[in-house]
Amino acid sequence: MPKKAKPARNGEEEGPVPCKQGKLEAAQAPSTLNFESPTVLFESLISPITTKTFFKEFWEQKPLLIQRDDPTVATYYQSLFRLSDLKSLCGRGLYYGRDINVCRCVGGKKKVLNKDGKVHFLQLRKDFDQKRATIQFHQPQRFKDELWRIQERLECYFGSLVGSNVYITPGGSQGLPPHYDDVEVFVLQLEGEKRWRLYRPTVPLAREYCVEAEDRIGQPVLEVTLKPGDLLYFPRGTIHQADTPPGLAHSTHLTISTYQNNSWGDFLLDTISGIVFETAKEDVELRAGVPRQLLLAETTTAETKRLSDLLRTLADRLEGTQELLSADMKKDFIMNRLPPFYIGDGAELSTPGGQLPRLDSTVRLRFQDHAILTVGPDQERSDEMREKMAYIYHSLKNRRDTHMMGNEETEAHGLRFPLSHVEALKQIWNCSVISVKDLKLPTDEEKENLVLSLWSECLIQVV
C-alpha cells in the first residue's frame, strides 16, 4: 500500500524525479500479453484459464495457480523488473518508506531495516547481501513502462485502481511473516524461485490488514514453488507467506493488486447520500424532525422501527431509480488512476483531435475507458436546494509518477454541464460516431458549444 514520504535532511520533502514516460526500456522482451483491449489483456494474463472459469470458480473464492513451462513467457516476465534495475532507479531520487522498504522476517515477526532519507544503492545492496533482507519496491509502474502499460489496461478492465509491488528476497530468507491483505492479488514470478504457502482465510474478503497471523493460520491449503513465468492468484483475506529457497542468489516477484475498498458496502455508502437527498425532496417523512433529545438518550424500539420504515421507503425509491448519484467512488477512481499508456511525447493526450468541430461535423469519443459521465449535486453550491449537474471526469492529465502514492495530492480533471445536456452527452458516449446537428439540445449554439468544450479537453475528435 502507499507509503508516506520521508523528509529530506533540510526538512523539506523532495518529490521523485519525474518519469520519462515516452521511452520504453531497450531491454524489454517481446510481450507475450495481448493489449488489443482490456478484456483481451486479462484473458492473455490468465491463459489458459478462461475468464468465465476464473470469475465463476476462483474470483473472491479460492486461489488459482498457473504454472507455465514456456521460455518465452519466462523471458518476458524476467524483463518486467530485475534486481539490476534498482541501481539506476536509486539515482532518480528514491526514499525509504515512500519508495522502498527493507525488511526481514525474524522469529515470526517483521523487522524493518529502513534507513532515513534517500536510498543509496550501495547501502541497499549491503543490507540485501549481508543482512539477507527483502527489498520491497512500491509501485514500480511509476518507472517501468511495460508495467504502466499492463496496469493501465487492467484498471480499464476492473474499473478499480490497480497497484503493484516488487519483492526481491535473497536465498534462504523471508521478508514478511504470515499475513493477509485487503486486495485481490495476482503474483507474477519474475526471477529465481519463490516458495509460497497459502492458508484458509481467517477473515474472508478481508477489509483490515493484519501483520502477524501465524497464531491462527493452521495447515496450508496450497504449497507451491513458483518459477519465472508462473502466476498465482488469491482472494483478499487469504493468509500467505513466501520465502526464497536456500542455494539461490535471490528471487523476484511482482504483486498486482486491485479491488481495495470496492465492495457493495463501499458502493452503498457512496450512493446512499444521493438516494436520501433525492427522496427527501418528495417525501415529507424524511424532512420531519427527529424526536427531542434523541441525541442525548439511548435509541428506543419505536425510533429503531421508524428508521427501519424510512429505510424501506428508500429501498422502494431505489427500485425505480435508473441512475444513482455517486458521491466519491467514480470521481476518486478517475482522479487517481493511471493516464492512458502512450509511446512518444504524449502529444495525443494534450492535442485536440482533428479540426475544430462545427454544426455539420461528425464526432466520436476518444479515450472512452478513461472518461466517465456522472450526475451529481452542483458542487459549486452548498445550500440544500442545489440542482443536479452533469460531470465529465477524465484521467488524460493524471500524473503517472504519483500513481497509488496515497500521500501525493491529486486533482480532478473534467467538465461541468447543466443537467439538460445529459442526453446529448449520452449520445456521444454511446454512439461510435454522431453528427453534431443530431445532438438532443434545443439550439444549434448549445450543440456547438458542447462539442467545442469536449474537443478542447481532447475528449472527442472530428472524423
Side-chain angles (χ1 to χ4, degrees):
M1 293 298 100
K3 300 295 180 182
K4 201 168 185 177
K6 295 287 186 180
R9 293 186 181 276
N10 61 4
E12 296 182 0
E13 185 180 294
E14 294 186 22
V17 176
C19 305
K20 294 182 179 179
Q21 298 185 359
K23 185 178 180 182
L24 286 171
E25 292 87 339
Q28 181 65 49
S31 177
T32 59
L33 300 176
N34 189 332
F35 292 89
E36 179 182 335
S37 71
T39 298
V40 172
L41 181 277
F42 185 70
E43 289 173 348
S44 65
L45 180 67
I46 64 169
S47 176
I49 302 299
T50 66
T51 54
K52 180 178 180 180
T53 298
F54 176 75
F55 286 105
K56 181 180 180 180
E57 299 182 13
F58 297 98
W59 178 254
E60 294 189 324
Q61 299 174 62
K62 62 182 179 181
L64 168 65
L65 171 64
I66 301 176
Q67 293 183 298
R68 303 182 175 104
D69 187 17
D70 187 334
T72 304
V73 177
T75 299
Y76 173 65
Y77 274 34
Q78 289 165 353
S79 73
L80 294 176
F81 200 98
R82 301 180 177 92
L83 174 60
S84 58
D85 290 331
L86 286 174
K87 186 173 183 179
S88 61
L89 289 174
C90 285
R92 300 176 69 166
L94 304 183
Y95 283 82
Y96 286 102
R98 182 188 67 191
D99 302 298
I100 283 181
N101 274 338
V102 180
C103 57
R104 186 177 182 188
C105 180
V106 179
K109 305 292 182 181
K110 177 182 176 181
K111 184 177 182 180
V112 178
L113 305 173
N114 287 354
K115 304 296 189 291
D116 291 326
K118 276 188 176 182
V119 178
H120 298 283
F121 180 73
L122 291 179
Q123 179 63 57
L124 189 66
R125 188 65 199 244
K126 181 180 179 180
D127 290 338
F128 183 78
D129 292 332
Q130 297 182 6
K131 297 182 180 179
R132 317 305 293 164
T134 288
I135 300 171
Q136 180 188 16
F137 186 68
H138 301 304
Q139 310 305 336
Q141 72 279 3
R142 296 177 292 146
F143 304 93
K144 299 290 285 185
D145 290 344
E146 191 70 2
L147 293 179
W148 169 24
R149 187 184 183 196
I150 293 170
Q151 290 175 232
E152 180 261 325
R153 293 283 82 188
L154 289 177
E155 287 186 333
C156 294
Y157 182 73
F158 285 109
S160 176
L161 294 177
V162 175
S164 66
N165 284 297
V166 167
Y167 297 85
I168 308 174
T169 303
S173 185
Q174 180 172 333
L176 299 173
H179 64 281
Y180 61 84
D181 303 303
D182 62 347
V183 286
E184 305 294 317
V185 179
F186 297 86
V187 179
L188 283 63
Q189 187 65 27
L190 308 185
E191 294 183 304
E193 299 179 1
K194 185 66 67 76
R195 296 187 302 199
W196 285 80
R197 291 185 289 276
L198 273 57
Y199 308 84
R200 296 191 183 280
T202 55
V203 182
L205 305 182
R207 184 65 176 266
E208 300 298 326
Y209 178 81
C210 180
V211 177
E212 287 113 15
E214 68 276 3
D215 57 333
R216 297 169 302 199
I217 58 179
Q219 294 298 312
V221 295
L222 177 64
E223 294 186 76
V224 63
T225 298
L226 298 186
K227 298 179 180 180
D230 291 346
L231 180 143
L232 174 66
Y233 159 79
F234 51 87
R236 58 193 185 275
T238 302
I239 298 174
H240 57 277
Q241 61 178 323
D243 68 278
T244 303
L248 296 179
H250 68 273
S251 171
T252 304
H253 74 267
L254 170 78
T255 60
I256 295 178
S257 57
T258 189
Y259 257 57
Q260 186 177 47
N261 300 339
N262 209 44
S263 68
W264 278 111
D266 295 305
F267 189 66
L268 182 61
L269 288 172
D270 185 60
T271 56
I272 192 68
S273 60
I275 298 170
V276 173
F277 178 81
E278 288 300 308
T279 306
K281 290 181 179 179
E282 303 173 5
D283 193 328
V284 69
E285 293 295 320
L286 283 171
R287 301 200 301 273
V290 300
R292 286 185 306 103
Q293 300 185 342
L294 174 66
L295 305 181
L296 302 177
E298 292 185 6
T299 305
T300 66
T301 302
E303 291 155 354
T304 302
K305 176 64 166 57
R306 179 71 180 278
L307 189 59
S308 298
D309 291 340
L310 292 174
L311 288 174
R312 291 188 184 93
T313 299
L314 294 177
D316 293 339
R317 169 78 182 218
L318 184 60
E319 289 282 343
T321 300
Q322 293 185 345
E323 190 160 13
L324 295 174
L325 298 184
S326 173
D328 296 307
M329 286 181 71
K330 288 184 178 181
K331 181 179 177 181
D332 286 349
F333 170 54
I334 291 295
M335 282 177 58
N336 292 290
R337 65 169 302 185
L338 283 163
F341 175 79
Y342 55 82
I343 299 175
D345 59 5
E348 183 184 4
L349 304 186
S350 57
T351 304
Q355 59 186 335
L356 191 74
R358 305 290 186 186
L359 185 64
D360 59 353
S361 299
T362 299
V363 299
R364 72 173 181 86
L365 188 64
R366 306 169 73 197
F367 310 108
Q368 184 163 6
D369 289 336
H370 284 266
I372 60 168
L373 165 62
T374 187
V375 174
D378 188 347
Q379 297 174 8
E380 295 188 3
R381 295 181 60 179
S382 58
D383 57 272
E384 294 183 359
M385 298 306 294
R386 54 183 177 168
E387 297 179 351
K388 288 192 290 184
M389 303 290 292
Y391 290 92
I392 304 294
Y393 296 112
H394 66 81
S395 58
L396 305 190
K397 300 177 184 177
N398 286 8
R399 292 173 54 194
R400 170 192 173 191
D401 62 316
T402 61
H403 182 244
M404 297 298 290
M405 303 298 288
N407 56 305
E408 302 285 352
E409 290 187 6
T410 57
E411 61 177 311
H413 303 289
L415 300 166
R416 169 178 172 269
F417 297 98
L419 190 63
S420 59
H421 285 50
V422 165
E423 290 305 314
L425 288 167
K426 286 182 178 179
Q427 286 178 277
I428 296 173
W429 249 250
N430 297 329
C431 297
S432 56
V433 295
I434 189 169
S435 174
V436 175
K437 64 176 179 292
D438 292 335
L439 293 176
K440 295 179 180 179
L441 286 170
T443 68
D444 291 345
E445 182 182 10
E446 287 178 293
K447 296 174 184 179
E448 286 191 322
N449 287 339
L450 172 61
V451 295
L452 181 60
S453 296
L454 296 172
W455 179 83
S456 300
E457 199 74 6
C458 304
L459 293 175
I460 62 171
Q461 73 177 76
V462 178
V463 295

